[in-house]
């Protein structure tokens, strides 16, 4: 019994280590191929390992894995719930399409769902092979070495940073190799088969590996002996200088190729002291190329302003009666002004000139002789604009057709833009009566359709792939550039003029002095957002990026005569929250509240992580119950037989229950062993005489023709005493 339990614990530890190593295989593959839903692949790996650990029958194990793969494919690639009438037709269509594609030899046209099935099948076979290595060969060295080589190669020749992963794999691999070596050594020697003796070798080995690894990790290290081979290889291939590695966050004028991860940088750029929270605007861009942003061609003038003179922009300015001041202290010199919404004028020492580019609205700082000038500080006068909700709601979509031709550059889209982007824009805005409502619908779309903000796991579009299309339909993971560019393209696809804006987010708030808040803005606060044109109102700023918010002053001056109007207007008062009024179900008929698999599945998908957590808890509980079955099963049986009548039928059943419990603790009846010999061996092991007494009565019950009177109550007590002995 002890040997069996010890083997199970050893195998369970080995499988936990294998799971962690396979996770280090999976993560770089997911990152470099822009594949999401990593947790679903990890669940499949864990499920396969658990089935192998408990040695589930191959047919049942295969059915469980096949069922999970089927659910995975429907959940990810089908728009219908798993328990719906569309599941089987979807699977049949996928099967026919891929089989036809393969038989015709056009392997590049197989669907993503079929590729996923192949990948899961590969994981299935890999785990079966690992199970063979562990249980039969007692050697995992080759898998361990391949893992280190695989991660090291990706770390060298790709954007994946595998330094931490290599350390993890080395530690886990050494522990795993040590466990298997001890097990193999134990089987080859004549050492006693007790668990304690084996763990006297295993525990010091694990402690030694952890200690040495910790010391090695924290010790100072020299730089690399060999130079990085990637630049040399790129140079030979003629690709020098075209890297796709992680860029450093911050303001940059070149936005022609967007995408890819960013490295953080908390370098202080400037400090602003203001009564209000502001977005710090620098410039705008108008031409989208399918890879990024450039400036359009044309004859655009420049406007020159002196210090303390009103600066004209295309943006609204609030009432002069509410004029306020912002003190800007520059930490990293910049040859251009930081603008805020509602800016009136700028004052600075030495009387510099402010040169405004009409195309980008960027304001450069120059001296009287035309040379660039760097200011250490200046003051901005501003008055935040106030927008009328009544006027915004009057911005009918028909007015877009009467706009001046100068707005055409803000409607530009590349000819290669995939049609599904335009279709999505029309789908989002089709039921909105005003231009403002259409813009808000696009702005809030990203917060309710599975998009995620991340600076690391960000894809770079391949050659011929559109940057916005990739983000909207393939990855749904990115940072401000992905969200803002996608919103501009969607608005233009709906016929609404929009432009891309760059600058800085409000920054980190600091101390408050005399009602003025100090904000520290670093390179990490570099940001992009959207300005859209609302007919009758003008250009307005919008924030589609998840985790960021704008505080616009909106005057809710519309009449609220009916409850419906109040319900429509109320959500707009909270600019911090995305507008979700459009997603609420319509209260039309009572049939909408009837039970359906679709509604249940929608509700369950909202609690994905809760179900995963419950599933993990159920697995842990099942393992715990299985490990403790020798204790709780007999206790339940004792309670059950106490309530039953004492007679021959129940005595026969209780005797068989007893022999099963004895088998669980290692006292199994051997082949050819008589019942009396078995009973004697049990009594010697448990130091009782109860088993021989029960066996004598059982033999009388089975073989005797004339049954003698027996005291069933006494037999029940003997039976219960034996059961309790096996538990203790």
């Amino acid at each position: 019994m002890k040997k069996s339990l010890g083997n199970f614990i050893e195998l369970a530890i080995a499988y936990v280590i294998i799971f962690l190593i396979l996770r280090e295989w999976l993560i770089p593959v997911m990152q470099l191929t822009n594949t999401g839903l990593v947790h679903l692949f990890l669940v499949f790996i864990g499920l396969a390992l658990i089935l192998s650990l408990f040695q589930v029958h191959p047919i049942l194990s295969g059915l469980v894995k096949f069922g999970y793969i089927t659910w995975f494919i429907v959940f990810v690639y089908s728009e219908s719930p798993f328990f719906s009438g569309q599941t089987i037709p979807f699977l049949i269509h996928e099967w026919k399409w891929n089989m036809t594609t393969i038989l015709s030899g056009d392997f590049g046209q197989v669907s993503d769902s079929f590729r996923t099935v192949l990948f899961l099948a590969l994981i299935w076979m890999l785990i079966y092979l690992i199970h063979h290595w562990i249980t039969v060969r007692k050697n995992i060295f080759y898998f361990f070495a391949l893992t280190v080589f695989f991660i090291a190669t990706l770390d060298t020749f790709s954007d994946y940073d595998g330094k931490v992963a290599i350390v993890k794999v080395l530690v886990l691999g050494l522990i795993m190799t040590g466990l298997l070596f001890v097990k193999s050594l134990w089987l080859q020697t004549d050492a006693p088969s007790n668990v304690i003796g084996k763990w006297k070798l295993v525990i010091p080995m694990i402690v030694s590996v952890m200690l040495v690894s910790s010391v090695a990790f924290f010790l100072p290290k020299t730089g690399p002996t060999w130079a990085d081979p990637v630049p040399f290889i790129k140079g030979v291939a003629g690709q020098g200088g075209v890297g796709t590695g992680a860029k450093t966050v911050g303001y940059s004028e070149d936005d022609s190729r967007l995408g890819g991860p960013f490295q953080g940088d908390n370098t202080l750029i400037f400090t602003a002291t203001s009564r209000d929270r502001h977005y710090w605007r620098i410039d705008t861009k108008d031409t989208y190329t399918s890879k990024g942003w450039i400036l359009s061609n044309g004859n655009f003038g420049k406007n020159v302003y002196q210090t303390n003179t009103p600066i004209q922009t295309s943006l609204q300015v609030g009432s002069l009666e509410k004029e306020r001041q912002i003190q800007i202290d520059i930490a990293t010199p910049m040859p251009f002004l930081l603008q805020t919404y509602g800016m009136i004028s700028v004052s600075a020492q030495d009387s510099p000139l402010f040169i405004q580019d009409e195309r980008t609205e960027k304001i450069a700082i120059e001296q009287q002789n035309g040379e660039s000038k760097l200011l250490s500080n200046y003051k901005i006068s501003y008055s935040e604009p106030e927008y009328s909700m009544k006027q915004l709601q009057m911005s009918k979509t028909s007015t877009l057709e009467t706009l001046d031709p100068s707005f055409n550059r803000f409607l530009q889209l590349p000819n290669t833009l995939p049609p599904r982007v335009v279709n999505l824009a029309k789908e989002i805005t089709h039921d909105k009566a005003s231009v403002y409502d259409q813009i808000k619908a696009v702005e809030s779309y990203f917060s309710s359709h599975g998009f995620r903000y991340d600076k690391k796991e960000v894809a770079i579009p391949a050659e011929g792939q559109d940057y916005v299309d990739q983000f909207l339909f393939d990855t749904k993971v990115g940072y401000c550039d992905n969200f803002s560019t996608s919103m501009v393209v969607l608005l233009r696809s709906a016929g609404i003029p929009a432009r891309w804006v760059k600058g800085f987010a409000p920054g980190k708030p600091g101390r408050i002095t005399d009602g003025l808040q100090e904000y520290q803005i670093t390179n990490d606060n570099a940001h992009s957002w959207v300005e859209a044109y609302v007919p009758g109102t003008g250009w307005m700023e919008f924030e589609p990026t998840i985790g960021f918010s704008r505080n616009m002053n909106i005057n809710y001056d519309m009449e609220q005569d009916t409850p419906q109007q109040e319900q429509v207007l109320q959500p707009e008062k909270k600019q911090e929250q995305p507008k979700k009024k459009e997603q609420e179900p319509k209260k039309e008929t009572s049939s909408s509240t009837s039970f359906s698999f679709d509604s249940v599945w929608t509700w369950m998908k909202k609690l994905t992580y809760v179900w995963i957590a419950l599933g993990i808890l159920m697995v842990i509980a099942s393992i715990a119950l299985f490990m403790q079955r020798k204790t709780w099963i007999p206790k339940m049986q004792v309670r059950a037989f106490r309530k039953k009548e004492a007679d021959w039928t129940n005595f026969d059943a209780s005797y068989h229950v007893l022999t099963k419990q004895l088998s669980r603790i290692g006292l199994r009846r051997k082949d050819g062993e008589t019942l009396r010999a078995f009973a004697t061996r049990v009594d010697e092991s448990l130091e009782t005489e109860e088993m021989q007494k029960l066996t004598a009565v059982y033999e009388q019950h089975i073989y005797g023709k004339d049954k003698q009177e027996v005291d069933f109550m006494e037999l029940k007590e003997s039976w219960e005493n034996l059961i309790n002995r096996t538990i203790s």
Side-chain angles (χ1 to χ4, degrees):
M1 182 267 295
K2 292 183 179 179
K3 181 179 179 181
S4 176
L5 177 61
N7 290 336
F8 180 85
I9 294 175
E10 292 170 2
L11 193 60
I13 294 174
Y15 276 7
V16 170
I17 295 175
I18 288 299
F19 176 83
L20 296 175
I21 294 178
L22 286 174
R23 180 179 179 273
E24 300 304 325
W25 272 85
L26 187 65
I27 288 178
V29 173
M30 298 293 103
Q31 289 184 6
L32 296 175
T33 58
N34 303 317
T35 303
L37 302 173
V38 179
H39 59 283
L40 293 183
F41 288 97
L42 291 175
V43 168
F44 180 75
I45 292 174
L47 177 65
L49 290 173
I50 289 173
L51 293 172
S52 296
L53 175 64
F54 288 99
Q55 298 181 357
V56 178
H57 193 278
I59 296 179
L60 179 59
S61 174
L63 289 175
V64 172
K65 295 173 187 175
F66 181 79
Y68 182 87
I69 293 175
T70 304
W71 172 85
F72 188 110
I73 297 303
V74 175
F75 176 77
V76 175
Y77 296 102
S78 175
E79 298 180 356
S80 302
F82 184 82
F83 296 103
S84 68
Q86 301 299 321
T87 298
I88 294 179
F90 167 77
L91 294 174
I92 294 176
H93 174 268
E94 287 292 309
W95 173 261
K96 288 182 178 179
W97 168 264
N98 289 290
M99 288 301 100
T100 304
T101 302
I102 292 173
L103 292 176
S104 62
D106 193 6
F107 300 104
Q109 297 299 318
V110 295
S111 65
D112 291 338
S113 61
F114 186 78
R115 293 187 178 96
T116 303
V117 170
L118 294 179
F119 185 67
L120 291 172
L122 179 63
I123 294 175
W124 186 342
M125 291 186 290
L126 179 61
I127 291 176
Y128 177 82
L129 183 61
I130 292 173
H131 174 76
H132 174 77
W133 283 340
I134 293 175
T135 57
V136 179
R137 299 290 298 276
K138 306 292 188 300
N139 191 333
I140 203 70
F141 176 78
Y142 294 112
F143 175 71
F144 167 44
L146 283 173
T147 304
V148 174
F149 178 79
F150 173 74
I151 297 176
T153 303
L154 292 182
D155 180 75
T156 303
F157 296 101
S158 74
D159 297 329
Y160 176 69
D161 185 1
K163 297 181 181 64
V164 177
I166 291 177
V167 174
K168 289 181 183 178
V169 170
L170 281 172
V171 174
L172 293 171
L174 289 174
I175 293 175
M176 186 72 180
T177 303
L179 286 173
L180 294 177
F181 177 78
V182 171
K183 186 176 182 64
S184 178
L185 184 66
W186 207 255
L187 293 174
Q188 294 174 8
T189 62
D190 295 329
S193 59
N194 61 82
V195 179
I196 297 177
K198 188 184 301 183
W199 283 95
K200 286 182 179 179
L201 294 176
V202 171
I203 293 177
M205 180 271 298
I206 295 177
V207 173
S208 300
V209 171
M210 297 299 293
L211 181 61
V212 172
S213 301
S214 300
V215 172
F217 184 81
F218 290 105
L219 280 177
K221 304 169 184 65
T222 61
T225 303
W226 294 343
D228 185 1
V230 176
F232 172 76
I233 296 174
K234 285 186 175 181
V236 173
Q239 298 179 1
V242 191
T244 57
K247 298 169 284 186
T248 302
V249 69
Y251 173 80
S252 171
E253 293 186 351
D254 184 8
D255 303 296
S256 58
R257 294 191 69 86
L258 300 178
F262 266 110
Q263 295 178 355
D265 180 11
N266 59 358
T267 302
L268 181 65
I269 303 299
F270 65 96
T271 301
T273 305
S274 172
R275 190 175 300 275
D276 303 306
R277 176 177 177 270
H278 300 273
Y279 268 44
W280 309 103
R281 185 175 184 261
I282 296 178
D283 61 350
T284 68
K285 291 188 176 177
D286 55 8
T287 302
Y288 174 64
T289 65
S290 81
K291 299 297 182 184
W293 290 95
I294 60 174
L295 296 177
S296 60
N297 298 321
N299 297 321
F300 295 93
K302 292 187 177 182
N303 302 317
V304 181
Y305 300 96
Q306 294 182 349
T307 183
N308 284 324
T309 60
I311 297 177
Q312 302 295 325
T313 68
S314 61
L315 303 171
Q316 283 197 25
V317 178
S319 171
L320 295 180
E321 298 175 356
K322 298 180 180 179
E323 182 176 349
R324 293 175 178 175
Q325 304 289 326
I326 304 173
Q327 176 66 39
I328 303 292
D329 295 300
I330 304 297
T332 302
M334 297 175 289
F336 49 79
L337 281 181
L338 297 161
Q339 307 172 47
T340 187
Y341 287 91
M343 185 178 68
I344 300 173
S345 63
V346 177
S347 62
Q349 296 179 352
D350 300 331
S351 300
L353 295 178
F354 303 127
I355 313 299
Q356 181 191 59
D357 187 337
E358 290 184 347
R359 177 169 47 181
T360 64
E361 295 196 358
K362 187 175 185 177
I363 302 177
I365 307 172
E366 295 184 3
Q367 296 178 351
Q368 297 291 340
N369 57 8
E371 296 181 359
S372 296
K373 182 175 180 60
L374 303 177
L375 298 177
S376 60
N377 58 75
Y378 51 88
K379 287 186 179 181
I380 299 176
S381 297
Y382 75 99
S383 177
E384 288 191 344
E386 184 178 84
Y387 302 101
S388 166
M389 176 56 73
K390 184 176 182 180
Q391 188 175 17
L392 291 173
Q393 293 296 337
M394 292 174 61
S395 58
K396 302 302 180 184
T397 56
S398 58
T399 58
L400 294 173
E401 301 175 1
T402 62
L403 292 177
D404 188 87
S406 61
F407 286 96
N408 290 343
R409 66 189 179 105
F410 302 115
L411 293 170
Q412 171 272 338
L413 290 171
N415 296 329
T416 57
L417 184 70
R420 61 178 180 176
V421 176
V422 179
N423 294 335
L424 176 61
K426 294 179 179 178
E427 179 184 340
I428 297 173
T429 61
H430 78 281
D431 59 344
K432 309 304 175 195
S434 67
V435 174
Y436 176 74
D437 287 339
Q438 289 184 341
I439 298 172
K440 293 296 291 182
V442 175
E443 181 187 43
S444 62
Y445 173 78
F446 303 96
S447 62
S448 58
H449 289 80
F451 290 86
R452 178 164 59 88
Y453 181 88
D454 197 300
K455 289 184 178 180
K456 298 296 184 183
E457 300 180 12
V458 184
I460 299 176
E463 192 67 28
Q465 187 176 26
D466 187 89
Y467 174 71
V468 168
D469 180 81
Q470 180 194 54
F471 175 67
L472 289 176
F473 299 99
D474 297 338
T475 65
K476 292 191 173 185
V477 178
Y479 41 83
C480 57
D481 290 349
N482 298 88
F483 289 92
S484 56
T485 301
S486 297
M487 181 175 177
V488 172
V489 171
L490 287 172
L491 290 177
R492 292 183 176 185
S493 299
I496 301 172
R499 59 193 181 193
W500 193 62
V501 191
K502 288 188 61 181
F504 291 92
K508 181 181 179 181
R511 62 185 179 181
I512 300 177
T513 305
D514 297 332
L516 299 178
Q517 180 91 57
E518 182 184 272
Y519 294 89
Q520 291 186 341
I521 293 86
T522 68
N523 265 335
D524 279 331
N525 298 122
H527 192 50
S528 62
W529 59 97
V530 177
E531 288 176 357
Y533 186 80
V534 181
T537 299
W539 290 99
M540 295 179 63
E541 69 274 21
F542 294 91
E543 178 55 271
T545 304
I546 294 175
F548 292 78
S549 61
R550 285 284 299 141
N551 292 323
M552 288 191 295
N553 293 328
I554 295 182
N555 181 11
Y556 293 87
D557 50 1
M558 295 183 67
E559 298 179 0
Q560 300 183 12
D561 297 332
T562 63
Q564 284 99 350
Q565 288 180 332
E566 184 176 357
Q567 291 175 3
V568 170
L569 294 176
Q570 190 67 22
E572 282 291 335
K573 295 182 181 180
K574 296 183 179 180
Q575 292 298 321
E576 298 288 339
Q577 299 177 359
K579 181 180 176 183
K580 295 185 179 180
K581 195 67 182 176
E582 294 81 1
Q583 282 80 33
E584 293 180 358
K586 297 181 180 179
K587 299 179 181 179
E588 295 179 354
T589 62
S590 59
S591 62
S592 62
T593 60
S594 60
F595 173 82
S596 67
F597 282 113
D598 293 352
S599 59
V600 173
W601 184 250
T602 302
W603 173 75
M604 290 177 65
K605 285 198 295 185
K606 294 180 181 178
L607 306 173
T608 302
Y609 292 103
V610 175
W611 296 120
I612 293 175
L614 289 176
I616 294 173
L617 290 176
M618 290 178 63
V619 171
I620 294 174
S622 301
I623 294 174
L625 288 173
F626 178 80
M627 298 294 293
Q628 297 294 325
R629 68 190 186 282
K630 303 178 184 67
T631 301
W632 62 268
I633 290 179
K635 286 183 178 180
M636 292 181 58
Q637 291 168 337
V638 167
R639 292 179 183 178
F641 277 102
R642 281 178 181 173
K643 300 176 182 179
K644 294 182 179 180
E645 185 178 353
D647 54 19
W648 284 111
T649 303
N650 290 325
F651 171 76
D652 180 75
S654 65
Y655 188 85
H656 287 288
V657 166
L658 176 60
T659 56
K660 287 184 179 180
Q661 175 62 11
L662 291 171
S663 177
R664 290 191 192 100
I665 66 171
L667 293 173
R668 187 187 302 273
R669 183 182 175 188
K670 300 178 182 179
D671 294 338
E673 187 178 24
T674 64
L675 282 174
R676 291 188 180 184
F678 172 62
T680 301
R681 184 161 58 87
V682 170
D683 283 338
E684 290 176 354
S685 177
L686 299 179
E687 299 179 354
T688 69
E689 296 180 354
E690 310 283 2
M691 188 63 184
Q692 296 180 63
K693 183 192 301 184
L694 292 172
T695 301
V697 176
Y698 181 74
E699 286 182 329
Q700 176 186 342
H701 169 60
I702 297 297
Y703 305 112
K705 294 181 180 179
D706 299 325
K707 295 183 176 61
Q708 300 178 3
E709 292 295 329
V710 295
D711 188 348
F712 285 109
M713 295 304 299
E714 182 180 353
L715 291 176
K716 181 179 283 190
E717 291 179 2
S718 298
W719 176 84
E720 190 169 331
N721 289 336
L722 266 177
I723 290 289
N724 291 331
R725 280 273 188 177
T726 63
I727 297 174
S728 61

